[in-house]
Amino acid sequence: MKILHLNTQKGFRGGEQQLIYLAQGLRELGIDSIIAAKDELYKKANAMGFETIDSSNLKQLLGAAKQCDILHAHASKAHTLGVFLKLLTKKPLVYTRRVDYKQKKISKLKYLLTDKVVCV
């Protein structure tokens, strides 16, 4: 099994650290991860031996999504990207929500197109 983790955040904060912990735990279980990220998360994941791609490169994202069994979005903009990739590839989409902000109306559509939501 292979999971494409989508993260579009520029910095490295708690959500990005949680993504690293998750990918490490999955690796111990024999589950491969591709981490689509920017900046610090990209550098850290790459240094830890994870397959990494730039989350702003749509061609690479689509190619990676086609290789994976599951898409996992880890931030709001990544969720939008995950819905887009899901529509193109028909892969299941998981979204991890780590904040308690009021959602915008467009978010309702994104949630309807998401297979599972994990709340932290």
Side-chain angles (χ1 to χ4, degrees):
M1 176 180 283
K2 187 179 272 193
I3 299 172
L4 174 59
H5 296 278
L6 302 164
N7 189 295
T8 54
Q9 303 298 101
K10 291 182 181 178
F12 189 89
R13 297 174 47 177
E16 290 70 41
Q17 183 62 61
Q18 288 175 15
L19 189 159
I20 291 288
Y21 289 148
L22 175 61
Q24 287 176 311
L26 290 170
R27 180 164 48 189
E28 290 173 10
L29 295 172
I31 298 171
D32 295 325
S33 294
I34 299 175
I35 299 176
K38 295 180 181 181
D39 300 333
E40 289 304 308
L41 176 58
Y42 181 93
K43 291 174 191 172
K44 287 181 189 267
N46 194 31
M48 295 176 77
F50 289 105
E51 183 178 349
T52 53
I53 59 173
D54 183 342
S55 61
S56 60
N57 187 323
L58 293 177
K59 185 176 179 181
Q60 282 186 344
L61 284 170
L62 184 57
K66 288 178 181 178
Q67 294 176 37
C68 291
D69 302 295
I70 297 172
L71 309 172
H72 187 168
H74 292 268
S76 180
K77 290 179 184 174
H79 188 197
T80 302
L81 189 57
V83 168
F84 174 73
L85 292 171
K86 174 192 173 74
L87 292 172
L88 292 176
T89 63
K90 308 297 184 219
K91 303 288 178 146
L93 174 63
V94 174
Y95 173 49
T96 298
R97 182 165 170 84
R98 296 182 175 88
V99 295
D100 190 23
Y101 302 129
K102 183 174 168 77
Q103 297 172 359
K104 297 177 183 176
K105 290 183 181 182
I106 191 70
S107 292
K108 291 181 182 182
L109 177 60
K110 292 193 303 187
Y111 280 92
L112 288 172
L113 295 169
T114 302
D115 298 286
K116 296 287 179 189
V117 177
V118 177
C119 297
V120 178

mmCIF file of all heavy atoms in Angstrom, residues 9-60:
data_model
loop_
_atom_site.group_PDB
_atom_site.id
_atom_site.type_symbol
_atom_site.label_atom_id
_atom_site.label_comp_id
_atom_site.label_asym_id
_atom_site.label_seq_id
_atom_site.Cartn_x
_atom_site.Cartn_y
_atom_site.Cartn_z
ATOM 1 N N GLN A 9 1.569 23.782 3.449
ATOM 2 C CA GLN A 9 2.033 24.811 4.384
ATOM 3 C C GLN A 9 3.481 25.192 4.083
ATOM 4 O O GLN A 9 4.293 24.353 3.726
ATOM 5 C CB GLN A 9 1.927 24.305 5.821
ATOM 6 C CG GLN A 9 0.532 23.870 6.221
ATOM 7 C CD GLN A 9 -0.471 24.999 6.159
ATOM 8 O OE1 GLN A 9 -1.246 25.099 5.213
ATOM 9 N NE2 GLN A 9 -0.439 25.853 7.141
ATOM 10 N N LYS A 10 3.783 26.466 4.284
ATOM 11 C CA LYS A 10 5.143 26.944 4.018
ATOM 12 C C LYS A 10 6.092 26.693 5.181
ATOM 13 O O LYS A 10 7.262 26.457 4.984
ATOM 14 C CB LYS A 10 5.112 28.424 3.675
ATOM 15 C CG LYS A 10 4.456 28.701 2.344
ATOM 16 C CD LYS A 10 4.481 30.161 2.003
ATOM 17 C CE LYS A 10 3.792 30.376 0.657
ATOM 18 N NZ LYS A 10 3.745 31.774 0.289
ATOM 19 N N GLY A 11 5.613 26.735 6.401
ATOM 20 C CA GLY A 11 6.466 26.552 7.564
ATOM 21 C C GLY A 11 6.445 25.119 8.064
ATOM 22 O O GLY A 11 5.918 24.216 7.413
ATOM 23 N N PHE A 12 7.037 24.923 9.229
ATOM 24 C CA PHE A 12 7.037 23.611 9.872
ATOM 25 C C PHE A 12 6.518 23.805 11.283
ATOM 26 O O PHE A 12 7.201 24.355 12.143
ATOM 27 C CB PHE A 12 8.445 22.994 9.896
ATOM 28 C CG PHE A 12 8.461 21.573 10.342
ATOM 29 C CD1 PHE A 12 8.310 20.551 9.426
ATOM 30 C CD2 PHE A 12 8.604 21.237 11.678
ATOM 31 C CE1 PHE A 12 8.315 19.220 9.824
ATOM 32 C CE2 PHE A 12 8.611 19.920 12.097
ATOM 33 C CZ PHE A 12 8.465 18.912 11.157
ATOM 34 N N ARG A 13 5.280 23.366 11.506
ATOM 35 C CA ARG A 13 4.639 23.502 12.807
ATOM 36 C C ARG A 13 4.106 22.141 13.236
ATOM 37 O O ARG A 13 4.533 21.111 12.735
ATOM 38 C CB ARG A 13 3.543 24.564 12.713
ATOM 39 C CG ARG A 13 4.121 25.937 12.387
ATOM 40 C CD ARG A 13 3.108 26.994 12.131
ATOM 41 N NE ARG A 13 2.058 26.994 13.143
ATOM 42 C CZ ARG A 13 1.073 27.859 13.170
ATOM 43 N NH1 ARG A 13 0.996 28.798 12.278
ATOM 44 N NH2 ARG A 13 0.139 27.796 14.102
ATOM 45 N N GLY A 14 3.157 22.155 14.153
ATOM 46 C CA GLY A 14 2.642 20.917 14.727
ATOM 47 C C GLY A 14 2.033 19.954 13.725
ATOM 48 O O GLY A 14 2.245 18.739 13.795
ATOM 49 N N GLY A 15 1.261 20.462 12.778
ATOM 50 C CA GLY A 15 0.633 19.592 11.786
ATOM 51 C C GLY A 15 1.649 18.888 10.911
ATOM 52 O O GLY A 15 1.489 17.712 10.557
ATOM 53 N N GLU A 16 2.723 19.599 10.583
ATOM 54 C CA GLU A 16 3.776 19.005 9.759
ATOM 55 C C GLU A 16 4.542 17.947 10.553
ATOM 56 O O GLU A 16 4.891 16.892 10.020
ATOM 57 C CB GLU A 16 4.716 20.103 9.237
ATOM 58 C CG GLU A 16 4.078 21.001 8.188
ATOM 59 C CD GLU A 16 3.004 21.923 8.749
ATOM 60 O OE1 GLU A 16 3.189 22.486 9.855
ATOM 61 O OE2 GLU A 16 1.957 22.068 8.085
ATOM 62 N N GLN A 17 4.755 18.215 11.846
ATOM 63 C CA GLN A 17 5.410 17.215 12.691
ATOM 64 C C GLN A 17 4.541 15.969 12.822
ATOM 65 O O GLN A 17 5.037 14.845 12.778
ATOM 66 C CB GLN A 17 5.728 17.792 14.073
ATOM 67 C CG GLN A 17 6.482 16.815 14.963
ATOM 68 C CD GLN A 17 7.836 16.423 14.403
ATOM 69 O OE1 GLN A 17 8.700 17.277 14.220
ATOM 70 N NE2 GLN A 17 8.032 15.148 14.122
ATOM 71 N N GLN A 18 3.234 16.164 12.951
ATOM 72 C CA GLN A 18 2.315 15.025 13.035
ATOM 73 C C GLN A 18 2.353 14.198 11.753
ATOM 74 O O GLN A 18 2.298 12.964 11.795
ATOM 75 C CB GLN A 18 0.898 15.505 13.318
ATOM 76 C CG GLN A 18 0.710 16.019 14.720
ATOM 77 C CD GLN A 18 -0.674 16.596 14.953
ATOM 78 O OE1 GLN A 18 -1.602 16.388 14.186
ATOM 79 N NE2 GLN A 18 -0.808 17.328 16.047
ATOM 80 N N LEU A 19 2.477 14.878 10.609
ATOM 81 C CA LEU A 19 2.580 14.153 9.337
ATOM 82 C C LEU A 19 3.837 13.284 9.331
ATOM 83 O O LEU A 19 3.791 12.119 8.925
ATOM 84 C CB LEU A 19 2.604 15.149 8.168
ATOM 85 C CG LEU A 19 2.488 14.580 6.763
ATOM 86 C CD1 LEU A 19 2.009 15.661 5.807
ATOM 87 C CD2 LEU A 19 3.739 13.948 6.262
ATOM 88 N N ILE A 20 4.957 13.830 9.806
ATOM 89 C CA ILE A 20 6.205 13.055 9.883
ATOM 90 C C ILE A 20 6.028 11.849 10.801
ATOM 91 O O ILE A 20 6.413 10.725 10.453
ATOM 92 C CB ILE A 20 7.378 13.939 10.365
ATOM 93 C CG1 ILE A 20 7.752 14.978 9.306
ATOM 94 C CG2 ILE A 20 8.584 13.099 10.779
ATOM 95 C CD1 ILE A 20 8.442 14.420 8.081
ATOM 96 N N TYR A 21 5.427 12.055 11.977
ATOM 97 C CA TYR A 21 5.192 10.940 12.898
ATOM 98 C C TYR A 21 4.333 9.860 12.229
ATOM 99 O O TYR A 21 4.602 8.668 12.369
ATOM 100 C CB TYR A 21 4.507 11.407 14.174
ATOM 101 C CG TYR A 21 5.344 12.235 15.111
ATOM 102 C CD1 TYR A 21 4.748 13.221 15.894
ATOM 103 C CD2 TYR A 21 6.712 12.041 15.249
ATOM 104 C CE1 TYR A 21 5.498 13.992 16.775
ATOM 105 C CE2 TYR A 21 7.470 12.802 16.122
ATOM 106 C CZ TYR A 21 6.858 13.776 16.883
ATOM 107 O OH TYR A 21 7.599 14.530 17.753
ATOM 108 N N LEU A 22 3.288 10.283 11.542
ATOM 109 C CA LEU A 22 2.399 9.336 10.865
ATOM 110 C C LEU A 22 3.157 8.553 9.799
ATOM 111 O O LEU A 22 3.063 7.320 9.734
ATOM 112 C CB LEU A 22 1.207 10.068 10.239
ATOM 113 C CG LEU A 22 0.264 9.224 9.407
ATOM 114 C CD1 LEU A 22 -0.376 8.115 10.242
ATOM 115 C CD2 LEU A 22 -0.812 10.105 8.773
ATOM 116 N N ALA A 23 3.919 9.246 8.968
ATOM 117 C CA ALA A 23 4.674 8.571 7.905
ATOM 118 C C ALA A 23 5.692 7.588 8.485
ATOM 119 O O ALA A 23 5.886 6.494 7.945
ATOM 120 C CB ALA A 23 5.352 9.608 7.005
ATOM 121 N N GLN A 24 6.331 7.962 9.599
ATOM 122 C CA GLN A 24 7.281 7.051 10.248
ATOM 123 C C GLN A 24 6.563 5.804 10.766
ATOM 124 O O GLN A 24 7.053 4.686 10.591
ATOM 125 C CB GLN A 24 7.983 7.755 11.412
ATOM 126 C CG GLN A 24 8.995 8.774 10.990
ATOM 127 C CD GLN A 24 9.579 9.500 12.188
ATOM 128 O OE1 GLN A 24 8.856 9.973 13.054
ATOM 129 N NE2 GLN A 24 10.902 9.594 12.228
ATOM 130 N N GLY A 25 5.431 5.999 11.422
ATOM 131 C CA GLY A 25 4.674 4.860 11.934
ATOM 132 C C GLY A 25 4.186 3.958 10.820
ATOM 133 O O GLY A 25 4.237 2.725 10.941
ATOM 134 N N LEU A 26 3.732 4.557 9.729
ATOM 135 C CA LEU A 26 3.283 3.754 8.591
ATOM 136 C C LEU A 26 4.446 2.975 7.981
ATOM 137 O O LEU A 26 4.293 1.812 7.606
ATOM 138 C CB LEU A 26 2.626 4.658 7.537
ATOM 139 C CG LEU A 26 1.284 5.261 7.929
ATOM 140 C CD1 LEU A 26 0.865 6.325 6.925
ATOM 141 C CD2 LEU A 26 0.214 4.189 8.052
ATOM 142 N N ARG A 27 5.610 3.616 7.902
ATOM 143 C CA ARG A 27 6.796 2.932 7.353
ATOM 144 C C ARG A 27 7.135 1.711 8.191
ATOM 145 O O ARG A 27 7.479 0.653 7.651
ATOM 146 C CB ARG A 27 7.977 3.910 7.282
ATOM 147 C CG ARG A 27 9.222 3.274 6.725
ATOM 148 C CD ARG A 27 10.292 4.230 6.279
ATOM 149 N NE ARG A 27 10.620 5.279 7.208
ATOM 150 C CZ ARG A 27 11.422 6.297 6.899
ATOM 151 N NH1 ARG A 27 11.964 6.400 5.709
ATOM 152 N NH2 ARG A 27 11.683 7.228 7.799
ATOM 153 N N GLU A 28 7.020 1.822 9.521
ATOM 154 C CA GLU A 28 7.285 0.682 10.403
ATOM 155 C C GLU A 28 6.303 -0.457 10.162
ATOM 156 O O GLU A 28 6.620 -1.621 10.418
ATOM 157 C CB GLU A 28 7.231 1.126 11.861
ATOM 158 C CG GLU A 28 8.388 2.012 12.268
ATOM 159 C CD GLU A 28 8.244 2.598 13.660
ATOM 160 O OE1 GLU A 28 7.337 2.175 14.416
ATOM 161 O OE2 GLU A 28 9.049 3.494 13.996
ATOM 162 N N LEU A 29 5.113 -0.131 9.674
ATOM 163 C CA LEU A 29 4.100 -1.143 9.360
ATOM 164 C C LEU A 29 4.208 -1.654 7.919
ATOM 165 O O LEU A 29 3.395 -2.465 7.488
ATOM 166 C CB LEU A 29 2.699 -0.568 9.588
ATOM 167 C CG LEU A 29 2.351 -0.210 11.029
ATOM 168 C CD1 LEU A 29 1.017 0.534 11.079
ATOM 169 C CD2 LEU A 29 2.308 -1.458 11.891
ATOM 170 N N GLY A 30 5.189 -1.149 7.180
ATOM 171 C CA GLY A 30 5.387 -1.589 5.804
ATOM 172 C C GLY A 30 4.547 -0.843 4.792
ATOM 173 O O GLY A 30 4.383 -1.313 3.663
ATOM 174 N N ILE A 31 4.032 0.308 5.162
ATOM 175 C CA ILE A 31 3.213 1.120 4.251
ATOM 176 C C ILE A 31 4.059 2.274 3.746
ATOM 177 O O ILE A 31 4.611 3.050 4.535
ATOM 178 C CB ILE A 31 1.941 1.634 4.959
ATOM 179 C CG1 ILE A 31 1.089 0.434 5.389
ATOM 180 C CG2 ILE A 31 1.156 2.577 4.049
ATOM 181 C CD1 ILE A 31 -0.075 0.787 6.279
ATOM 182 N N ASP A 32 4.170 2.396 2.430
ATOM 183 C CA ASP A 32 4.986 3.436 1.814
ATOM 184 C C ASP A 32 4.232 4.758 1.766
ATOM 185 O O ASP A 32 3.010 4.791 1.639
ATOM 186 C CB ASP A 32 5.379 3.042 0.392
ATOM 187 C CG ASP A 32 6.290 1.832 0.353
ATOM 188 O OD1 ASP A 32 7.126 1.698 1.268
ATOM 189 O OD2 ASP A 32 6.167 1.032 -0.586
ATOM 190 N N SER A 33 4.991 5.843 1.839
ATOM 191 C CA SER A 33 4.420 7.182 1.760
ATOM 192 C C SER A 33 5.193 8.014 0.752
ATOM 193 O O SER A 33 6.415 7.917 0.659
ATOM 194 C CB SER A 33 4.495 7.891 3.114
ATOM 195 O OG SER A 33 3.679 7.266 4.071
ATOM 196 N N ILE A 34 4.463 8.833 0.025
ATOM 197 C CA ILE A 34 5.040 9.919 -0.757
ATOM 198 C C ILE A 34 4.567 11.184 -0.070
ATOM 199 O O ILE A 34 3.374 11.335 0.211
ATOM 200 C CB ILE A 34 4.564 9.897 -2.226
ATOM 201 C CG1 ILE A 34 4.978 8.608 -2.917
ATOM 202 C CG2 ILE A 34 5.113 11.110 -2.977
ATOM 203 C CD1 ILE A 34 4.431 8.459 -4.337
ATOM 204 N N ILE A 35 5.480 12.093 0.207
ATOM 205 C CA ILE A 35 5.117 13.320 0.896
ATOM 206 C C ILE A 35 5.255 14.487 -0.074
ATOM 207 O O ILE A 35 6.359 14.799 -0.534
ATOM 208 C CB ILE A 35 5.979 13.534 2.154
ATOM 209 C CG1 ILE A 35 5.749 12.360 3.120
ATOM 210 C CG2 ILE A 35 5.655 14.878 2.813
ATOM 211 C CD1 ILE A 35 6.607 12.389 4.361
ATOM 212 N N ALA A 36 4.109 15.095 -0.385
ATOM 213 C CA ALA A 36 4.076 16.280 -1.239
ATOM 214 C C ALA A 36 4.065 17.485 -0.317
ATOM 215 O O ALA A 36 3.134 17.670 0.465
ATOM 216 C CB ALA A 36 2.835 16.257 -2.127
ATOM 217 N N ALA A 37 5.117 18.296 -0.383
ATOM 218 C CA ALA A 37 5.270 19.378 0.582
ATOM 219 C C ALA A 37 6.108 20.506 -0.009
ATOM 220 O O ALA A 37 6.562 20.435 -1.150
ATOM 221 C CB ALA A 37 5.934 18.839 1.850
ATOM 222 N N LYS A 38 6.294 21.537 0.831
ATOM 223 C CA LYS A 38 7.139 22.675 0.486
ATOM 224 C C LYS A 38 8.144 22.894 1.605
ATOM 225 O O LYS A 38 8.001 22.382 2.715
ATOM 226 C CB LYS A 38 6.289 23.947 0.364
ATOM 227 C CG LYS A 38 5.293 23.949 -0.749
ATOM 228 C CD LYS A 38 4.537 25.268 -0.732
ATOM 229 C CE LYS A 38 3.501 25.281 -1.827
ATOM 230 N NZ LYS A 38 2.769 26.540 -1.860
ATOM 231 N N ASP A 39 9.123 23.683 1.333
ATOM 232 C CA ASP A 39 10.041 24.246 2.315
ATOM 233 C C ASP A 39 10.564 23.247 3.346
ATOM 234 O O ASP A 39 11.117 22.226 2.993
ATOM 235 C CB ASP A 39 9.401 25.459 3.002
ATOM 236 C CG ASP A 39 9.036 26.565 2.007
ATOM 237 O OD1 ASP A 39 9.681 26.639 0.961
ATOM 238 O OD2 ASP A 39 8.107 27.328 2.285
ATOM 239 N N GLU A 40 10.365 23.558 4.627
ATOM 240 C CA GLU A 40 10.956 22.771 5.709
ATOM 241 C C GLU A 40 10.463 21.329 5.754
ATOM 242 O O GLU A 40 11.255 20.410 5.962
ATOM 243 C CB GLU A 40 10.710 23.440 7.057
ATOM 244 C CG GLU A 40 11.509 24.706 7.268
ATOM 245 C CD GLU A 40 13.005 24.489 7.113
ATOM 246 O OE1 GLU A 40 13.556 23.572 7.755
ATOM 247 O OE2 GLU A 40 13.631 25.249 6.341
ATOM 248 N N LEU A 41 9.163 21.113 5.584
ATOM 249 C CA LEU A 41 8.648 19.742 5.602
ATOM 250 C C LEU A 41 9.258 18.936 4.472
ATOM 251 O O LEU A 41 9.664 17.790 4.659
ATOM 252 C CB LEU A 41 7.117 19.724 5.510
ATOM 253 C CG LEU A 41 6.483 18.341 5.424
ATOM 254 C CD1 LEU A 41 6.864 17.467 6.620
ATOM 255 C CD2 LEU A 41 4.967 18.458 5.317
ATOM 256 N N TYR A 42 9.354 19.530 3.296
ATOM 257 C CA TYR A 42 9.972 18.855 2.155
ATOM 258 C C TYR A 42 11.406 18.441 2.506
ATOM 259 O O TYR A 42 11.801 17.289 2.299
ATOM 260 C CB TYR A 42 9.960 19.779 0.929
ATOM 261 C CG TYR A 42 10.561 19.170 -0.304
ATOM 262 C CD1 TYR A 42 9.770 18.517 -1.232
ATOM 263 C CD2 TYR A 42 11.933 19.227 -0.538
ATOM 264 C CE1 TYR A 42 10.324 17.952 -2.370
ATOM 265 C CE2 TYR A 42 12.498 18.661 -1.664
ATOM 266 C CZ TYR A 42 11.686 18.022 -2.580
ATOM 267 O OH TYR A 42 12.230 17.451 -3.702
ATOM 268 N N LYS A 43 12.176 19.371 3.061
ATOM 269 C CA LYS A 43 13.578 19.093 3.403
ATOM 270 C C LYS A 43 13.690 17.998 4.462
ATOM 271 O O LYS A 43 14.508 17.088 4.339
ATOM 272 C CB LYS A 43 14.260 20.367 3.905
ATOM 273 C CG LYS A 43 14.462 21.424 2.838
ATOM 274 C CD LYS A 43 15.012 22.694 3.454
ATOM 275 C CE LYS A 43 14.982 23.841 2.472
ATOM 276 N NZ LYS A 43 15.335 25.120 3.111
ATOM 277 N N LYS A 44 12.875 18.092 5.522
ATOM 278 C CA LYS A 44 12.940 17.105 6.606
ATOM 279 C C LYS A 44 12.530 15.719 6.122
ATOM 280 O O LYS A 44 13.180 14.721 6.431
ATOM 281 C CB LYS A 44 12.062 17.536 7.775
ATOM 282 C CG LYS A 44 12.633 18.680 8.568
ATOM 283 C CD LYS A 44 11.744 19.053 9.734
ATOM 284 C CE LYS A 44 12.198 20.314 10.403
ATOM 285 N NZ LYS A 44 13.075 20.150 11.516
ATOM 286 N N ALA A 45 11.435 15.651 5.368
ATOM 287 C CA ALA A 45 10.962 14.355 4.868
ATOM 288 C C ALA A 45 11.983 13.727 3.925
ATOM 289 O O ALA A 45 12.242 12.525 3.995
ATOM 290 C CB ALA A 45 9.613 14.530 4.170
ATOM 291 N N ASN A 46 12.566 14.537 3.081
ATOM 292 C CA ASN A 46 13.572 14.050 2.143
ATOM 293 C C ASN A 46 14.802 13.537 2.894
ATOM 294 O O ASN A 46 15.335 12.473 2.576
ATOM 295 C CB ASN A 46 13.949 15.168 1.168
ATOM 296 C CG ASN A 46 14.709 14.663 -0.032
ATOM 297 O OD1 ASN A 46 14.514 13.544 -0.475
ATOM 298 N ND2 ASN A 46 15.573 15.485 -0.557
ATOM 299 N N ALA A 47 15.240 14.281 3.918
ATOM 300 C CA ALA A 47 16.405 13.874 4.723
ATOM 301 C C ALA A 47 16.138 12.573 5.479
ATOM 302 O O ALA A 47 17.066 11.827 5.773
ATOM 303 C CB ALA A 47 16.782 14.989 5.696
ATOM 304 N N MET A 48 14.869 12.291 5.781
ATOM 305 C CA MET A 48 14.509 11.066 6.500
ATOM 306 C C MET A 48 14.296 9.884 5.552
ATOM 307 O O MET A 48 13.906 8.809 5.984
ATOM 308 C CB MET A 48 13.247 11.311 7.324
ATOM 309 C CG MET A 48 13.451 12.340 8.423
ATOM 310 S SD MET A 48 11.936 12.705 9.296
ATOM 311 C CE MET A 48 11.835 11.246 10.327
ATOM 312 N N GLY A 49 14.527 10.097 4.265
ATOM 313 C CA GLY A 49 14.444 9.003 3.309
ATOM 314 C C GLY A 49 13.075 8.778 2.697
ATOM 315 O O GLY A 49 12.862 7.778 2.018
ATOM 316 N N PHE A 50 12.155 9.699 2.917
ATOM 317 C CA PHE A 50 10.834 9.564 2.298
ATOM 318 C C PHE A 50 10.887 10.079 0.864
ATOM 319 O O PHE A 50 11.616 11.031 0.568
ATOM 320 C CB PHE A 50 9.773 10.356 3.072
ATOM 321 C CG PHE A 50 9.440 9.747 4.400
ATOM 322 C CD1 PHE A 50 9.908 10.305 5.573
ATOM 323 C CD2 PHE A 50 8.659 8.600 4.473
ATOM 324 C CE1 PHE A 50 9.612 9.746 6.802
ATOM 325 C CE2 PHE A 50 8.364 8.029 5.697
ATOM 326 C CZ PHE A 50 8.841 8.597 6.865
ATOM 327 N N GLU A 51 10.108 9.459 0.014
ATOM 328 C CA GLU A 51 9.949 9.981 -1.340
ATOM 329 C C GLU A 51 9.200 11.296 -1.216
ATOM 330 O O GLU A 51 8.148 11.366 -0.583
ATOM 331 C CB GLU A 51 9.176 8.985 -2.201
ATOM 332 C CG GLU A 51 9.043 9.422 -3.636
ATOM 333 C CD GLU A 51 8.321 8.395 -4.502
ATOM 334 O OE1 GLU A 51 8.096 7.258 -4.060
ATOM 335 O OE2 GLU A 51 7.970 8.763 -5.643
ATOM 336 N N THR A 52 9.741 12.351 -1.795
ATOM 337 C CA THR A 52 9.135 13.669 -1.681
ATOM 338 C C THR A 52 8.927 14.292 -3.046
ATOM 339 O O THR A 52 9.700 14.040 -3.979
ATOM 340 C CB THR A 52 10.017 14.618 -0.845
ATOM 341 O OG1 THR A 52 11.331 14.612 -1.386
ATOM 342 C CG2 THR A 52 10.068 14.206 0.610
ATOM 343 N N ILE A 53 7.871 15.102 -3.144
ATOM 344 C CA ILE A 53 7.638 15.898 -4.349
ATOM 345 C C ILE A 53 7.183 17.282 -3.913
ATOM 346 O O ILE A 53 6.694 17.469 -2.806
ATOM 347 C CB ILE A 53 6.610 15.244 -5.307
ATOM 348 C CG1 ILE A 53 5.268 15.044 -4.609
ATOM 349 C CG2 ILE A 53 7.125 13.946 -5.868
ATOM 350 C CD1 ILE A 53 4.172 14.566 -5.549
ATOM 351 N N ASP A 54 7.339 18.237 -4.801
ATOM 352 C CA ASP A 54 6.925 19.608 -4.547
ATOM 353 C C ASP A 54 5.411 19.695 -4.667
ATOM 354 O O ASP A 54 4.845 19.357 -5.711
ATOM 355 C CB ASP A 54 7.597 20.525 -5.567
ATOM 356 C CG ASP A 54 7.303 21.990 -5.356
ATOM 357 O OD1 ASP A 54 6.326 22.334 -4.649
ATOM 358 O OD2 ASP A 54 8.041 22.806 -5.919
ATOM 359 N N SER A 55 4.755 20.159 -3.611
ATOM 360 C CA SER A 55 3.286 20.187 -3.612
ATOM 361 C C SER A 55 2.708 21.234 -4.560
ATOM 362 O O SER A 55 1.506 21.271 -4.773
ATOM 363 C CB SER A 55 2.744 20.416 -2.199
ATOM 364 O OG SER A 55 3.179 21.652 -1.691
ATOM 365 N N SER A 56 3.550 22.066 -5.166
ATOM 366 C CA SER A 56 3.041 23.034 -6.136
ATOM 367 C C SER A 56 3.229 22.558 -7.584
ATOM 368 O O SER A 56 2.820 23.246 -8.517
ATOM 369 C CB SER A 56 3.709 24.396 -5.936
ATOM 370 O OG SER A 56 5.106 24.288 -6.094
ATOM 371 N N ASN A 57 3.799 21.371 -7.772
ATOM 372 C CA ASN A 57 4.019 20.822 -9.110
ATOM 373 C C ASN A 57 2.868 19.872 -9.462
ATOM 374 O O ASN A 57 2.873 18.702 -9.075
ATOM 375 C CB ASN A 57 5.371 20.099 -9.160
ATOM 376 C CG ASN A 57 5.733 19.647 -10.551
ATOM 377 O OD1 ASN A 57 4.884 19.227 -11.329
ATOM 378 N ND2 ASN A 57 7.012 19.729 -10.862
ATOM 379 N N LEU A 58 1.892 20.379 -10.193
ATOM 380 C CA LEU A 58 0.685 19.596 -10.486
ATOM 381 C C LEU A 58 0.961 18.337 -11.299
ATOM 382 O O LEU A 58 0.323 17.310 -11.076
ATOM 383 C CB LEU A 58 -0.351 20.465 -11.195
ATOM 384 C CG LEU A 58 -0.941 21.585 -10.339
ATOM 385 C CD1 LEU A 58 -1.906 22.436 -11.157
ATOM 386 C CD2 LEU A 58 -1.635 21.022 -9.116
ATOM 387 N N LYS A 59 1.911 18.406 -12.213
ATOM 388 C CA LYS A 59 2.241 17.226 -13.023
ATOM 389 C C LYS A 59 2.799 16.099 -12.136
ATOM 390 O O LYS A 59 2.389 14.946 -12.252
ATOM 391 C CB LYS A 59 3.249 17.598 -14.112
ATOM 392 C CG LYS A 59 3.550 16.473 -15.061
ATOM 393 C CD LYS A 59 4.481 16.918 -16.175
ATOM 394 C CE LYS A 59 4.797 15.761 -17.095
ATOM 395 N NZ LYS A 59 5.705 16.156 -18.174
ATOM 396 N N GLN A 60 3.709 16.444 -11.225
ATOM 397 C CA GLN A 60 4.261 15.453 -10.292
ATOM 398 C C GLN A 60 3.183 14.931 -9.353
ATOM 399 O O GLN A 60 3.148 13.740 -9.043
ATOM 400 C CB GLN A 60 5.392 16.052 -9.472
ATOM 401 C CG GLN A 60 6.692 16.166 -10.199
ATOM 402 C CD GLN A 60 7.809 16.642 -9.277
ATOM 403 O OE1 GLN A 60 7.559 17.158 -8.188
ATOM 404 N NE2 GLN A 60 9.043 16.472 -9.713
#
